[in-house]
Amino acid sequence: MIGGGQGAFIGAVHRIAAQLDGEYELVCGAFSSNPEKSKASGTLLGLAPERVYSSYKELFEKEKQLPEEERVQVISIVTPNHVHFEPAKLALESGFHVVLDKPMTFSLQEALELREVVEKSGKLFCLTHTYTGYPMVKEAKQLVASGKLGKIRKVYVEYPQGWLSKFEEGGDNKQASWRTDPSQSGIAGAMGDIGTHAFNLAEYVSGLEVTQLCADINVVVEGRQLDDDGAVLLKFNNGASGVLFATQVAAGEENNIKIRVYGEEGGLEWQQSDENTLLVKWLSKPAEIYRTGTGYVSSYAQHNSRTPAGHPEGYLEAFANLYRNFAQSVRAQIEGKEAKAESKDYPGVADGVRGMAFIEQVIASGKSDKKWIDFTI
Amino acid sequence: MIGGGQGAFIGAVHRIAAQLDGEYELVCGAFSSNPEKSKASGTLLGLAPERVYSSYKELFEKEKQLPEEERVQVISIVTPNHVHFEPAKLALESGFHVVLDKPMTFSLQEALELREVVEKSGKLFCLTHTYTGYPMVKEAKQLVASGKLGKIRKVYVEYPQGWLSKFEEGGDNKQASWRTDPSQSGIAGAMGDIGTHAFNLAEYVSGLEVTQLCADINVVVEGRQLDDDGAVLLKFNNGASGVLFATQVAAGEENNIKIRVYGEEGGLEWQQSDENTLLVKWLSKPAEIYRTGTGYVSSYAQHNSRTPAGHPEGYLEAFANLYRNFAQSVRAQIEGKEAKAESKDYPGVADGVRGMAFIEQVIASGKSDKKWIDFTI
Amino acid sequence: MIGGGQGAFIGAVHRIAAQLDGEYELVCGAFSSNPEKSKASGTLLGLAPERVYSSYKELFEKEKQLPEEERVQVISIVTPNHVHFEPAKLALESGFHVVLDKPMTFSLQEALELREVVEKSGKLFCLTHTYTGYPMVKEAKQLVASGKLGKIRKVYVEYPQGWLSKFEEGGDNKQASWRTDPSQSGIAGAMGDIGTHAFNLAEYVSGLEVTQLCADINVVVEGRQLDDDGAVLLKFNNGASGVLFATQVAAGEENNIKIRVYGEEGGLEWQQSDENTLLVKWLSKPAEIYRTGTGYVSSYAQHNSRTPAGHPEGYLEAFANLYRNFAQSVRAQIEGKEAKAESKDYPGVADGVRGMAFIEQVIASGKSDKKWIDFTI
Amino acid sequence: MIGGGQGAFIGAVHRIAAQLDGEYELVCGAFSSNPEKSKASGTLLGLAPERVYSSYKELFEKEKQLPEEERVQVISIVTPNHVHFEPAKLALESGFHVVLDKPMTFSLQEALELREVVEKSGKLFCLTHTYTGYPMVKEAKQLVASGKLGKIRKVYVEYPQGWLSKFEEGGDNKQASWRTDPSQSGIAGAMGDIGTHAFNLAEYVSGLEVTQLCADINVVVEGRQLDDDGAVLLKFNNGASGVLFATQVAAGEENNIKIRVYGEEGGLEWQQSDENTLLVKWLSKPAEIYRTGTGYVSSYAQHNSRTPAGHPEGYLEAFANLYRNFAQSVRAQIEGKEAKAESKDYPGVADGVRGMAFIEQVIASGKSDKKWIDFTI
């Protein structure tokens, strides 16, 4: 693991997600750019001292030299955005598979480069767009793909948060500080942090690609350096249209990412606050409630749950699904087999490139007087 | 009553709303432009035959001549949009108070004229933006006005319907036919029919005024003559921003108009599908559930309900609240008194003018390459 | 109208319910046992002074003598329980149809007598078990009757309220005072006031009859004279079992009467707080959401709604459905026709007799050491 | 681990729960009474072959002889009910801490013996009443304990399932087979499997003890050997009363255990289908929505969650909370320290004894003609 030392939120989440199904064991780490802190974190996590490294460079260097059966196989990178590209590139080039937190890189340029690195390396790469790991999000995608909703016409996706309603940065709130700092986060704040999740979810579930967008991007809290709010009109490649909004200043909201997709015959609705329910609405018959863990859901939904219906599986299980599917894919590659379609259904470098393009173009649109901006890569 | 003969949806709703509280008695009508049909409707409604008229002109003419204690006092106009302005103007000029269905007129120009007519006439005028009649919508407005949420930053309003997902017009579906016909509805379809409701709700609850907008307006169903879908980015006069969407092609949706407003300290959420609940969210304490009919709600919410908490009051009661408040205001005027503030809180000609401006400008924006259009009247 | 003068909750509700659909006109009344108060109420309601009576006896006496076309046709009785039997009997014997508030009488003995009076009179009789007037309760009954859920096994019904959590009686709270006073309410408090609603709903929806019961009846608030809480185990005539509870001391609860019925193949759930939704659950397919005002619901549900799906119809509409169905039945009788099955589906004297038997036996069971008591009439 | 081989539901759940927070490592097991199957399961789980044992007796024997730093510390027992007592007793007497699945034993007699064994052993013991591990269940208990709801008057608890609506036993459904077999489950079916969970939840949240009960116990599905349904009237030691029901034949229900508790000033409501929400209702102010992961909840709720509000934590996290708290308590004991109050808040042997008493007495009540049975141990 690169990053994720004491006090980091997402590092702990990655560790739980990885070990939840017993598919991974944490064997080494470079948990901080400060060697002392890295050591301290490694000790707390019970690692062998010789495998707690001072830097990711040292980690790759030393681990490469270990015998294959001891050597780490998958590198998780959970650093702030500006420390994504370099370690990911180096990890891949050093022969490791990589799990990387989103957004993929600091800039679209880096993303395009990383795509090439992944392709050349022959190694597997997973980008943790967590929400696509929920069983009912899988079901939503499968339902759209089945054609039962008819041709898709409308996509509404939203991600309201309230935790940046005040000026939180600059003090003890480490999360707030780096996420609002352009030198660590890049050109976007809310749009990079959560807008990319919403964008990815919209494309994943609908099976469509955004072709044009028109954005209203705001810095609501005085003194903040990056956007904390935005709304985007969308056009898709099949002629459908949509709305995306993401905000960190909706005081009182938690993390209720939500998507609605409508076709000619019906629509669907999923939201994280009721994570194990997929609401399916029909033009002229009763709406249906699809539920995680039931016998009637698709193989994709079943593959991504662990318990019978009614035992709620939450965020950590969704995250663990990414890790588990990635592990199954890595194992298949090692064994020279083809992984199951369900196992290969995890977000990858292509999602990362589109996410970075979204960030660049949504910020550009926010500054533009022109209504529609083409979404190009 | 003008319009609202057999088969008309909204005419029956107006009649129920008017008589629900026993404040009005239906005494005369011109229910159709076809005199035979008008007579037939009048008979069914149990009116005295001599007070069922062949045209609204005849109605005003004859009723004016009746002794004051027999004469109709309030005229309800429930015709399609292209027959709003003329009868409303004539009714006011003939000395009657007027209740008019929305959108107020066929064009902004007519709306501006009607505003003058109302002002000159000294008569009272109510425009039936029904949703502002719900007790919890009243509560929402009062809560924002109280300042407890802090300065307002975000307004999200939506009105998804699915009933025009197919090409319904041109056949037996009278509702679909006139609402999609530019000669009867004007320049807008969905934006006029339900977009104006969403717009009015946003301004009513937030207490703000839209100053700029940027719209994506679509005709989704092939062959349709007017927009059946749209999404609009909004800027408000206090610096807040927002999103409005209204669609009639969200297959499986009913009439779930919904509003969310966020300030610096908290937010609120109301939707018609849970009409007696106002969800109030706070930055750092538990969200609260405000309910119709309780003892702790504002005088405005209490004034607009009839039963103790837990006895749901629905759409017809919300509609009846408009009629009841209007009746109380009319009675106060007749008695030379000042009506209570709660009674005077019904939508009027100013709302109608803003609604017509919204229609004109949202359609203009939909056609424009420019991002932001100023909202001017 | 008998009773229902100023300050009475249920009298106003009856008046709204009756006039909502324009089927009834209030023409006369004896609104209070105090003639002054009766006059005052009549004046407020805009009645002709000569038809505001000092007593119900006078009302029946005088109205009988009016010409048939002027005479009142239907008598609504909305007095406390101890003044139900006498006026109802006299009204029927005087040739009027009767709408009576529940519980039907003061004792089972009176109920049995009233049943005979109704039968002899040839007049129609409606008991206002309001909840059976909701469209989705109609749908629930039809769904069970269709056999789609299979043989019914379990019935859970509950009616939690919180308004009597404190000692409210004896002061200004007129509602609390008479409902907790044995001389006005009879032998039961909560069980008579709301337990009978729950009991009626259970038998109505399930189409079953209770054959045995075992009750725990409590007076929770110190000093109260009648039960304010109870729970009852039930056995039904097809072998099904169930649970009923009703309480007035569940602090914070409003009026959330709720029923769940399960058969071999599926179950259903309805509750007043989400009045226009019927949740239908299936053993091995997705649950379905049935909604008021849609095209797919039964003729019974459609007959009992007024507006398209998504315009919530609430408590007053449910109440109005009883009045409207009763009006249609009365009109059919007058015209010598058979009323539609949907019109005849309103609660009557048989429901009232079973309700009074429930009261007597549930109170007896509460005092008994024996577990099961047979439900007999 | 004892039991929990391939195909066992609850064994896999225990393993996930134990390793989720990285507090436990699976080091040895006797996964089946069939040595071949035990070996196979151990291999699949990646254990060292020499630590996969043929029987639990062998496991305790061999592990005891290992050096302290290699030896297993905590034994998880996840066998059917009839194989709870013996291995638990032996584990404790062999010097291991024990985590045991519920219900604790096969009979009350065994439960009382096990209590003595635990006390004598000085070892720690955890019984996996999972639902008490949810953060919002912790919050509920703390809220009651704070006195804010006033004296508790009513407790309603329910656990509806539908998975045994048909005769599932005797075939491939291993879960159905052993849970309906008296030789493996004991004298109770549904009451033992889920009734005990409901009972434990009621006593845990309310802080009260049941003193009397009156039960209706049913075998609904023909041919079944044990109860699959029951409802129980309850009396508590402070004078409160309540209702408990548990059923496995509510077709269409999943696992929606739910509790409501009402005091003089307010009430609370929690259900597994909305696991991260605690609804708190007040007599005369708005209801409040308490949420997992927020800053305003008690130290108990905070201690039992891992992510910020809005990232749902589900069943596996609740289960993991039991394991984590137990680990913290074991570690404190080893280190000679006092564990935090929050860490010690896991279900133990006293809960197990009360659960077994509930089973014996609820079944006895079901067969009795007497209404109330004293709850005694």
Side-chain angles (χ1 to χ4, degrees), chain C residues 138-195:
Chain C
K138 301 281 184 195
E139 189 69 11
K141 181 186 180 64
Q142 295 304 315
L143 188 69
V144 171
S146 76
K148 285 181 193 159
L149 300 183
K151 192 189 156 200
I152 298 307
R153 293 164 160 183
K154 296 299 299 183
V155 178
Y156 300 105
V157 66
E158 60 184 63
Y159 199 152
Q161 294 183 328
W163 70 291
L164 288 177
S165 290
K166 305 271 180 183
F167 190 80
E168 303 284 350
E169 47 265 56
D172 290 343
N173 191 330
K174 193 177 155 184
Q175 292 300 320
S177 296
W178 81 257
R179 286 175 203 264
T180 57
D181 175 1
S183 72
Q184 295 185 73
S185 279
I187 60 170
M191 285 296 119
D193 192 16
I194 59 174

Side-chain angles (χ1 to χ4, degrees), chain A residues 153-154 156 158 165-166 215-216 218 229 235 241 245 252-253 260 262 265 281 365 368-369 371, chain B residues 153-154 156 158 165-166 215-216 218 229 235 241 245 253 260 262 265 281-282 365 368-369 371:
Chain A
R153 294 163 160 185
K154 295 298 300 183
Y156 300 106
E158 60 184 63
S165 289
K166 305 273 179 181
D216 175 29
N218 302 297
D229 172 80
K235 296 288 184 191
S241 60
F245 77 76
E253 292 295 337
R260 289 174 281 181
Y262 297 93
E265 306 298 334
K281 302 175 179 187
S365 174
S368 170
D369 285 340
K371 193 154 150 192
Chain B
R153 293 165 160 183
K154 296 298 301 182
Y156 300 106
E158 61 184 61
S165 290
K166 307 272 178 183
D216 175 28
N218 303 297
D229 174 81
K235 297 287 185 191
S241 59
F245 78 77
E253 292 294 336
R260 288 174 282 181
Y262 298 93
E265 307 297 333
K281 302 176 179 186
W282 300 104
S365 172
S368 170
D369 286 339
K371 193 157 154 189

Side-chain angles (χ1 to χ4, degrees), chain A residues 355-370:
Chain A
M356 291 312 301
F358 171 76
I359 289 175
E360 300 232 335
Q361 290 163 20
V362 89
I363 296 298
S365 174
K367 292 176 180 156
S368 170
D369 285 340
K370 216 182 129 209

Side-chain angles (χ1 to χ4, degrees), chain A residues 77-321:
Chain A
I77 302 170
V78 298
T79 45
N81 309 349
H82 67 307
V83 195
H84 279 189
F85 174 70
E86 284 296 340
K89 180 168 182 284
L90 200 54
L92 289 159
E93 291 174 348
S94 302
F96 302 110
H97 304 287
V98 167
V99 177
L100 178 59
D101 210 79
K102 48 50 55 188
M104 191 161 78
T105 50
F106 197 70
S107 68
L108 176 56
Q109 186 49 40
E110 282 184 359
L112 294 167
E113 279 184 58
L114 190 58
R115 183 170 63 182
E116 277 185 49
V117 173
V118 170
E119 282 160 10
K120 267 192 221 158
S121 73
K123 295 293 156 186
L124 298 181
F125 177 87
C126 175
L127 188 72
T128 53
H129 275 304
T130 324
Y131 306 107
T132 63
Y134 276 108
M136 287 301 100
V137 171
K138 301 281 184 193
E139 189 69 12
K141 180 184 181 64
Q142 294 304 316
L143 188 69
V144 171
S146 77
K148 285 182 192 158
L149 301 182
K151 191 189 156 200
I152 298 308
R153 294 163 160 185
K154 295 298 300 183
V155 178
Y156 300 106
V157 65
E158 60 184 63
Y159 198 150
Q161 294 182 329
W163 70 292
L164 289 177
S165 289
K166 305 273 179 181
F167 190 80
E168 303 284 352
E169 46 265 56
D172 291 340
N173 192 332
K174 192 175 157 186
Q175 292 299 321
S177 296
W178 81 256
R179 286 175 204 264
T180 58
D181 175 2
S183 72
Q184 296 185 71
S185 280
I187 60 170
M191 286 295 119
D193 191 16
I194 58 174
T196 48
H197 274 310
F199 173 80
N200 179 257
L201 187 64
E203 291 202 340
Y204 178 76
V205 170
S206 70
L208 302 174
E209 293 198 344
V210 168
T211 54
Q212 283 188 303
L213 54 77
C214 167
D216 175 29
I217 304 296
N218 302 297
V219 180
V220 173
V221 172
E222 213 180 302
R224 185 155 290 158
Q225 295 186 68
L226 291 173
D227 59 285
D228 47 20
D229 172 80
V232 193
L233 305 174
L234 302 170
K235 296 288 184 191
F236 292 90
N237 57 342
N238 77 334
S241 60
V243 181
L244 176 156
F245 77 76
T247 185
Q248 296 175 317
V249 296
E253 292 295 337
E254 299 178 344
N255 271 282
N256 197 15
I257 184 170
K258 173 178 172 177
I259 186 163
R260 289 174 281 181
V261 176
Y262 297 93
E264 293 169 342
E265 306 298 334
L268 61 80
E269 181 176 329
W270 176 86
Q271 57 189 317
Q272 189 173 218
S273 66
D274 191 10
E275 72 276 19
N276 292 298
T277 294
L278 176 67
L279 203 52
V280 183
K281 302 175 179 187
W282 300 105
L283 199 48
S284 43
K285 58 182 184 179
E288 292 175 309
I289 303 171
Y290 283 61
R291 294 274 299 161
T292 299
T294 54
Y296 54 76
V297 293
S298 69
S299 64
Y300 285 80
Q302 293 195 356
H303 177 76
N304 286 282
S305 74
R306 292 156 187 79
T307 48
H311 300 87
E313 302 204 27
Y315 173 77
L316 294 170
E317 286 81 2
F319 217 120
N321 288 336

